[in-house]
Structures are given as structure tokens and as C-alpha cells.
Amino acid sequence: MLLPGAVLLGAVAVLFTLPPVRPADVGLDWLPIVMGAALLASATVTSLACLVDGLRERSAGALLECGAWAALAGAGVALLAGAGSIAVSVSGAAGLLVAATLTRRAAPIRDTMTTRLGAVAVLILAESFVLATLVPTSAAWLAPYETAILAVAVVLFGIALVVGAPSSRGSAALLIAGAAGMLANRDGSFESVLAVGALSGAALMAAIARLDPRVEAAPDEDHLPELAAKLTDAVLRFDGGLALREWNGAAADLMGLDAGSIGIRAEDLLGVSLSDLGMDETAIVTRGAVGGLEIAMHRSGSGITAVVRDPGARPESERLGHELRSTIEELLRARRTIDLQRGELERSATVDPLTGVSSRGAIMERLRLEVSQARRYRHPLALVLIDIDRFTEINGALGLSGGDAVLREVALRFRLRIRQADALGRSGSDGFIAVLPHTDEAGAATFAAALRRRLSARSLVLSEVEVEVPVTVSVGVTTMRPGEELDVDGLLARGQEALDSARSAGGDRIALDRLHGLARLEERVDPAAHADRAGEDAV
């Protein structure tokens, strides 16, 4: 399609190397008039075709292209009127054509009145270029700049050639040849005749492209998605003028479409016009159209997508609806399973799976939080460390399963004694840690004594190994007093020191921290009274 433009450019170059020959010199003085009339006729037809498409599609690009060809039609009028130059008209047409090319994929204009006003404005602008050529004053003022104006036209037509759709590149090449011929013109020589002929040919090619709906669409236009081929509903894509471009297999079966159906208007195929489609993106449904079909249409890019259903095909639609509901239910079940698994993962990260108390990481995080709160609000905090005495011997005698059973039973008895505000977790393989907010020395000692009595009162009966196991514990108690500046490590160190004191004394007892002289509480000693005396001694 670029060959005609290349041939004309070559002819202009050859003529430019020869001495200037004018049509009148060889008895062809009528040729410029014929060429001017040809330009007027072809450009007028093309402009009208673009105007009709622009008003029907409410397309700004089509209206701007209408203005470009109207400017060239005005150039033909100027030639018939004997104007000396049509450079301004050609350059104006080039600018309007580039603008039309850049806006060809813009959304439709919102309403019909704005479209009409836009068409009038574009036509007035196009004819202003012609008036600039015909009015003697403006023509005289622009004459010195004719070469520069034509050079600008060549550049603009080149831009239209590069960014335009493939179907318009042939006419763009002819426009470049026409502008170049005008640029090479030597006072009415044959270069100008060829230039006007190139402009007429460009207008003729554009008119054919506009009037023939079977012209191949640009490759960058919207296409049906691949999913449309798998749908049982008919899916059709129309361009901005409601001309058919693509369809799926279901549409071909339902409506008998074939390759010759390209370009059929929606009014003829479905009985739906562009005015039935709102300006927003919301789909509309038209019932009782051609053949009683149900048609859902919505805007898709620069065109329209229509989904056509046959109301009589209820069994298929019901089957699809059942499959859709089943799919949704499966997705919901999968979502619930994922939520349960997520909850289980979160629980396993914070709960010890063997004993059911908090894991070491979770209880240490709780301890850090309670220490921070105690320092900020100046309230007491107690920490109790508990170790099972001779747990290695229990493991050796009962095996690992017996040792695990002992840990579970000990943890269960401890959990029954824990308040809701307290926290209990594992500190190691055979140890536990209890965090007691808002608890002083007396309360912590009472809590530790209660835990010790729960184990020593009666032996553990292990159903797993069918044996009774006497279990005792060593307990270390420490407290953080109101106003005391102490961190987690310091509090743990004091508690560990008290626990080591209880274990070194043979176990089965409770030891207080260094503030109480690492005093050990025997079973016969009242914990509260001992704590009070220890507090007085510390003071």
C-alpha cells in the first residue's frame, strides 16, 4: 500500500531534475483544472463519510479526520478559483489528520449535541485554512513562508504514516507524496499536477476504507478474550460503529455467521442501535429482540461486546447455574479449611502440644509484656519457676511415653490452679514457669505452696503405663516490687537462683529469692506468715 506514494515521489524527483515544464506549454492547460476538480470531489466524499461515522459513533477521531479531508476539499476549491498556493490548506489537513490518528481510540463523546457542535467547530477550522489562502491579504502575508509550511505538512503526514492504522498507511503515503510535490513545485510545473493527483488519490483510498466495512481492522483493536471460545452463550464484538468484527463458535451456531458476516451492523443482526446503549460501562439487557433472544451489551475498549442468550435453552443454563453454585460451595469449603488450618498453625505456635500450656516462646513474650506493664504502672509482679524432681530417673524407669504422661498430668493439675489473669507455660524439658500479675510475695508463696500440695497430696496414676508415680517439685519464687526498675533477664536470674536453692536442698520444697535471703518454705511453715517475716527482715 506504500508503493503508490513511493512511485509518485520518484516521479517528482525525476521531474525536478528536468527543466520546468508547465501543462500550458504542451497544450494541457486544462489539466490543473481537472486535477483541482478531482481533489474537490474525492476529498468531499471522504469528508462526508468521516462526518457520518463521527456523528453516528460520537467519535472525536472521526470528526477530526473529517476536518482534514474538508481542508483538502477546500484546497480543491482554491485551485479552481485560481489561488496561487494551497500550502496552508495542506498543512492544516496534515495537523488535523495527526490529531485524528492520536485520538482514534478515545472514548465516545458523551452526548449527541456535543458531537454536533464538535463537527461544526472542526469544519469551521478546516475552512479557515482555505480562507487564509483565498483572502488576498492573508495569502500575501503567508507567501514568504510557503516552503516552511509545506515542510511542516510533510513531517506531519509522516507522523500519521508511522502511528496510523495499517489500513490508512497507503493514503498517508500518498499525502506525503502530494505535500512533497507541492514543495518541489516550480511556478506551476508538472510537479504541482502530480502533487494534486497524489492528494486526490489519498482521498479516494480513504473513502474506500471508510465505505467498505470489510476492510481489515487494526491489529491493536480489542479482541474477544480466549475464554469466549469456551462459553455456551453467543459472544460478539462490534466496533465503535456497531459493525460486527468477531464472534465465538456459539454465536456462529446460533446465528449462522460466517466470514462474509464481517461488517454487518448490529441494527440488522440484533435489532439494537447505538442509542440503546448508555454512555456508562454498565451492561444493559434487551429482551424480545430479533428471534426473541436476550442480548446483554456493554462497552469494551473502543467497541461494544454483546452476549446473546436463547431464553429457550433453560436446561443448559440451569446446568451451568448448578455447576456455578457447586463451584462456589467448594470454594467456601476450601476457605473454611484454610481458616481452620491457619488457626491451628497460630495455636501450635503459642501452645505446647504435649502439655496444653503456653509454649516457651509464648510465655516469654507474656513475661516481657507483664514486666513492661509492671514498670510503667508500678504494680507488683510475681514469677514462679517449677522443676519436676528427678525427672531423668522417671524417664529411665517409665520410658519416654511414661515421662510424657507425667508431664501431661503435672501440667493438668497446675492448670486447674491457675487464675484467668495468670499465665503458665513450659520453660524446658521438665520445667514450667508461671507469671502472676498484680501478685506480691505472700500471694506468690501461697500459689507455689498450693501447686506443691496438689502433687504431693497423692501420687500420679498413669493409665498409659498402669503405675502410680509419686512426683514432687522444686519451686523458685521471685517478685518485682512496685517502683523497682528490673528487666526480664534480671527477674529470671533471681527466680533461677531461688529454684537452684530449692533443688540443692534436696527438692520437694519452695525457695524465695535473694531479697528474702533465699529462704526455703517447708510444708509445716505458713507461707504468708513466713513471707511477712521475710519482708520485715528485708526492710
Side-chain angles (χ1 to χ4, degrees):
M1 296 182 70
L2 302 181
L3 183 60
V7 171
L8 286 171
L9 281 175
V12 169
V14 171
L15 289 175
F16 191 72
T17 61
L18 301 175
V21 179
R22 299 167 185 82
D25 297 337
V26 292
L28 298 176
D29 50 342
W30 50 268
L31 188 58
I33 298 176
V34 173
M35 286 298 180
L39 177 59
L40 173 61
S42 59
T44 299
V45 171
T46 308
S47 178
L48 290 175
C50 294
L51 179 62
V52 171
D53 286 346
L55 292 175
R56 179 174 55 199
E57 302 173 12
R58 296 198 286 266
S59 169
L63 294 179
L64 288 170
E65 188 176 352
C66 166
W69 298 114
L72 287 180
V77 174
L79 288 174
L80 293 176
S85 172
I86 58 172
V88 177
S89 297
V90 173
S91 183
L96 289 172
L97 187 61
V98 170
T101 302
L102 296 177
T103 59
R104 71 183 184 276
R105 293 180 63 83
I109 301 174
R110 300 296 295 179
D111 56 80
T112 305
M113 181 56 67
T114 303
T115 305
R116 294 173 180 173
L117 293 177
V120 172
V122 168
L123 291 175
I124 292 175
L125 177 62
E127 297 314 315
S128 66
F129 299 130
V130 182
L131 292 177
T133 300
L134 294 177
V135 175
T137 303
S138 60
W141 183 81
L142 292 171
Y145 309 103
E146 179 181 352
T147 301
I149 294 173
L150 287 172
V152 170
V154 172
V155 173
L156 292 176
F157 284 139
I159 295 174
L161 174 66
V162 172
V163 302
S167 59
S168 66
R169 289 178 181 172
S171 59
L174 288 176
L175 290 172
I176 294 175
M182 298 296 299
L183 188 61
N185 177 36
R186 292 172 292 174
D187 193 20
S189 58
F190 268 101
E191 290 94 326
S192 63
V193 176
L194 281 179
V196 176
L199 297 177
S200 303
L204 185 59
M205 291 184 66
I208 295 173
R210 277 286 174 182
L211 297 175
D212 186 1
R214 293 173 297 177
V215 173
E216 182 181 1
D220 58 348
E221 290 184 358
D222 297 325
H223 294 281
L224 287 179
E226 296 181 1
L227 181 62
K230 302 178 181 180
L231 296 178
T232 57
D233 291 332
V235 182
L236 306 94
R237 189 186 67 82
F238 299 88
D239 60 20
L242 286 187
L244 182 62
R245 293 303 178 195
E246 289 182 279
W247 57 87
N248 64 354
D253 296 337
L254 181 63
M255 302 178 183
L257 302 177
D258 54 28
S261 302
I262 295 178
I264 297 178
R265 299 290 177 179
E267 295 93 330
D268 302 327
L269 185 62
L270 303 175
V272 178
S273 64
L274 186 63
S275 60
D276 294 330
L277 184 63
M279 293 307 301
D280 55 11
E281 299 295 329
T282 304
I284 64 170
V285 177
T286 302
R287 299 182 182 274
V290 174
L293 301 176
E294 293 183 356
I295 306 168
M297 302 182 66
H298 64 90
R299 298 193 181 277
S300 176
S302 60
I304 305 294
T305 299
V307 180
V308 183
R309 301 180 180 89
D310 185 358
R314 291 304 181 188
E316 178 67 15
S317 63
E318 291 176 2
R319 183 185 65 82
L320 293 177
H322 176 72
E323 293 179 357
L324 179 60
R325 286 192 297 272
S326 300
T327 302
I328 293 175
E329 291 174 358
E330 291 178 2
L331 291 175
L332 291 176
R333 286 195 294 269
R335 177 63 181 271
R336 286 193 293 269
T337 302
I338 292 172
D339 290 341
L340 291 174
Q341 291 175 346
R342 182 183 294 111
E344 185 62 26
L345 288 174
E346 293 175 354
R347 182 179 180 277
S348 64
T350 58
V351 177
D352 178 56
L354 176 62
T355 62
V357 300
S358 298
S359 64
R360 176 176 175 78
I363 194 64
M364 294 305 295
E365 182 64 28
R366 175 67 181 273
L367 178 60
R368 280 189 286 270
L369 175 63
E370 295 298 343
V371 168
S372 175
Q373 294 289 326
R375 292 179 61 179
R376 180 175 182 181
Y377 297 107
R378 307 176 72 85
H379 61 68
L381 173 67
L383 179 67
V384 180
L385 300 181
I386 309 161
D387 264 5
I388 299 176
D389 296 329
R390 295 175 296 280
F391 186 70
T392 303
E393 298 177 7
I394 294 175
N395 262 339
L398 304 179
L400 293 179
S401 60
D404 290 344
V406 170
L407 284 173
R408 283 194 295 269
E409 182 65 22
V410 170
L412 177 60
R413 295 190 182 186
F414 286 172
R415 286 162 58 189
L416 295 175
R417 180 61 180 80
I418 289 292
R419 301 175 304 177
Q420 186 174 2
D422 301 334
L424 177 68
R426 288 194 65 178
S427 60
S429 61
D430 59 348
F432 298 87
I433 180 172
V435 181
L436 313 177
H438 300 277
T439 304
D440 57 12
E441 293 92 340
T446 301
F447 171 83
L451 292 184
R452 180 168 168 264
R453 281 196 300 270
R454 278 185 175 274
L455 289 178
S456 60
R458 56 186 178 87
S459 300
L460 274 62
V461 179
L462 306 180
S463 59
E464 291 87 345
V465 292
E466 298 182 352
V467 68
E468 290 188 6
V469 181
V471 176
T472 60
V473 292
S474 299
V475 183
V477 178
T478 184
T479 56
M480 179 178 175
R481 295 179 175 180
E484 188 176 6
E485 293 295 328
L486 194 65
D487 59 11
V488 173
D489 292 336
L491 187 62
L492 282 172
R494 287 202 326 208
Q496 186 63 46
E497 190 176 20
L499 177 61
D500 293 341
S501 174
R503 297 180 66 176
S504 63
D508 191 19
R509 67 197 64 213
I510 301 168
L512 304 180
D513 60 19
R514 68 178 66 177
L515 296 180
H516 302 83
L518 298 178
R520 303 185 185 97
L521 301 183
E522 305 298 338
E523 183 65 25
R524 65 181 181 277
V525 178
D526 179 65
H530 187 94
D532 291 339
R533 289 196 300 272
E536 293 173 358
D537 295 340
V539 174

